[in-house]
Amino acid sequence: MPRAGLTRDRVAEEAAVMADEVGLAKLTLAALADRLGVRQPSLYKHIDSMAGLQRDMAVHAKRDLGGVLARASVGRSGADAISSMSHAYRDWARAHPARYEASNLMPAPGDVEDEAVSIEAVQLIADVLAAYNLEGDDAIDAIRAFRATLHGFVSLETSGSFALAADVDRSFDRLVRGFIAALAQWTGDTAS
Amino acid sequence: MPRAGLTRDRVAEEAAVMADEVGLAKLTLAALADRLGVRQPSLYKHIDSMAGLQRDMAVHAKRDLGGVLARASVGRSGADAISSMSHAYRDWARAHPARYEASNLMPAPGDVEDEAVSIEAVQLIADVLAAYNLEGDDAIDAIRAFRATLHGFVSLETSGSFALAADVDRSFDRLVRGFIAALAQWTGDTAS
DNA sequence: TCACTTAGGCTATTGACATTAGCTAACCGG
DNA sequence: CCGGTTAGCTAATGTCAATAGCCTAAGTGA
């Protein structure tokens, strides 16, 4: 019985590949074990449980997405950075739909590693909005709005909710421009 | 054995109540049957399958949400209607998180009832944006942007992704105002 | 009222899945 | 080369969704 040489990371990695193919909810340990050339219970030497595996996938996905977003915004600022990051976000999500889904799983309270990588991703967004000099709650509102805008579009798109033939790329571009426009008058909005 | 008097609608209704309590993914037929005072296999006299039950829940949820949105926008127009509909959307989703999740399930191709009620809901959004006189793809882009904005915020909120203490009501209000502001210059955006 | 049909319950069973227990063989530090 | 750790394994359990087949309460028509 030669060893398969699995590791926790390797298992999570293959699980992510497989989930992107069949859907996060339809990933089974039996199929995953099969693909790794191992019997199903053997996976438990590397994972705690199905939930634990999903947590591992979530951490990997958040790190991965964070890296992509960081690269997309380097050397840019303001509207340029926001636009670049937005498109990178959407492209990554479309290329890895199950990983994207996993990246939206909340860390369990006390899971410091997951919490850290989650915060880092949000911090990237905060950094890119920094050019607008928003303070306190204004900044938080803007970060939430940006996350909502991106997640909403990508989530609807990947779930197939945009039925009409109209160009989805164009719609996304429009949305991002709209957000940037709204951001320009952010602090003024309250006064209406 | 006295009859329990179940119907397809009654089952879907109770399933929705239960799902809102335990989460859509954690709803089991065993627990549902128990609650309805019936054995688990008996449910199959009223549903086709778990997927079929979820479809029924989706149809009910879409109709329900559609009604709420329609009532929220009656007698209003323009920014007023958009704002009112937005808050109604969020309030309904928070009150019924699993129903909300179900309402985002896509109809199976050829499921005319589900398709009809899905289109009706989107039509409500189109109607409320009609005051902005958008034509063709401009209108589609705006509808997609509105849906993305609302769904993104609500989805992140109900999944617990807004960790910070800052007032979420305020953030949502800000987002809606931002969308309305963006909409005012919608057709001009492309020209930049 | 009484036969007949329909349909909504039931028990028993299967098969997919996650998970645990306990065994064995491969690797690893001395 | 030896002893411990660990990554695999088989076997078994419990929880699901789902199917098959029975049984009888409820409606229906004369």
Side-chain angles (χ1 to χ4, degrees):
Chain A
M1 311 58 232
R3 297 218 173 168
L6 297 184
T7 65
R8 186 168 166 184
D9 281 350
R10 174 88 181 75
V11 170
E13 202 51 56
E14 192 67 32
V17 171
M18 208 163 173
D20 280 332
E21 292 169 9
V22 305
L24 186 59
K26 290 199 190 121
L27 178 68
T28 71
L29 294 184
L32 177 59
D34 207 47
R35 186 123 128 192
L36 290 167
V38 129
R39 299 293 187 159
Q40 195 223 35
S42 306
L43 291 179
Y44 285 85
K45 295 293 173 172
H46 306 284
I47 65 174
D48 287 343
S49 63
M50 190 72 207
L53 173 60
Q54 280 173 349
R55 188 224 83 122
D56 290 348
M57 292 170 66
V59 170
H60 284 208
K62 288 167 190 176
R63 237 195 293 270
D64 203 359
L65 176 56
V68 165
L69 296 184
R71 276 191 293 283
S73 62
V74 67
R76 299 170 190 266
S77 70
D80 186 30
I82 291 175
S83 178
S84 176
M85 182 178 275
S86 297
H87 286 88
Y89 184 96
R90 173 169 174 247
D91 290 345
W92 187 85
R94 287 199 301 171
H96 310 293
R99 286 165 156 101
Y100 177 71
E101 223 181 304
S103 77
N104 282 299
L105 297 174
M106 287 289 294
D111 183 340
V112 291
E113 186 189 14
D114 198 351
E115 279 167 353
V117 65
S118 300
I119 288 171
E120 275 169 40
V122 175
Q123 188 56 46
L124 287 170
I125 293 180
D127 290 346
V128 102
L129 296 180
Y132 290 83
N133 293 315
L134 301 168
E135 307 264 326
D137 284 358
D138 282 345
I140 292 176
D141 292 342
I143 292 168
R144 287 174 174 170
F146 191 30
R147 291 176 66 197
T149 299
L150 295 181
H151 173 62
F153 193 95
V154 161
S155 170
L156 291 177
E157 181 183 15
T158 57
S159 73
S161 295
F162 292 150
L164 301 181
D167 187 5
V168 180
D169 291 355
R170 194 188 107 117
S171 295
F172 184 68
D173 218 64
R174 227 19 150 38
L175 175 63
V176 173
R177 281 182 215 254
F179 173 74
I180 291 169
L183 203 55
Q185 21 178 305
W186 202 246
T187 47
D189 278 355
T190 313
S192 100
Chain B
M1 315 108 199
R3 297 223 174 165
L6 297 185
T7 64
R8 186 167 165 184
D9 281 350
R10 174 87 180 75
V11 171
E13 202 51 57
E14 191 67 32
V17 171
M18 209 163 171
D20 279 332
E21 292 169 10
V22 306
L24 186 58
K26 290 200 190 121
L27 178 68
T28 72
L29 294 183
L32 177 58
D34 207 48
R35 185 122 128 193
L36 290 166
V38 127
R39 298 295 187 156
Q40 191 229 38
S42 305
L43 290 179
Y44 285 87
K45 296 291 175 174
H46 306 285
I47 65 173
D48 288 342
S49 64
M50 190 71 205
L53 174 61
Q54 280 174 349
R55 188 223 82 123
D56 290 348
M57 293 170 66
V59 171
H60 284 207
K62 288 167 189 177
R63 236 194 294 268
D64 203 358
L65 175 57
V68 166
L69 296 184
R71 277 192 293 282
S73 62
V74 68
R76 300 171 189 266
S77 70
D80 186 29
I82 291 175
S83 177
S84 176
M85 182 179 275
S86 297
H87 285 89
Y89 184 96
R90 172 170 175 247
D91 290 345
W92 187 85
R94 287 199 299 171
H96 310 294
R99 285 167 157 101
Y100 177 71
E101 222 180 305
S103 77
N104 282 300
L105 296 175
M106 288 289 295
D111 183 340
V112 292
E113 187 187 15
D114 197 351
E115 278 167 354
V117 65
S118 301
I119 288 171
E120 274 169 42
V122 175
Q123 188 57 46
L124 287 169
I125 293 180
D127 290 348
V128 102
L129 295 180
Y132 290 84
N133 294 314
L134 301 169
E135 307 264 326
D137 284 357
D138 281 347
I140 292 177
D141 292 342
I143 293 168
R144 287 175 174 169
F146 191 30
R147 291 175 67 198
T149 300
L150 295 180
H151 173 61
F153 192 95
V154 162
S155 170
L156 290 177
E157 181 183 15
T158 57
S159 73
S161 295
F162 292 150
L164 301 181
D167 186 5
V168 180
D169 291 354
R170 192 187 108 120
S171 295
F172 184 69
D173 219 65
R174 229 14 154 38
L175 176 64
V176 173
R177 281 185 216 253
F179 172 74
I180 291 168
L183 202 56
Q185 18 177 309
W186 202 246
T187 48
D189 277 356
T190 312
S192 99

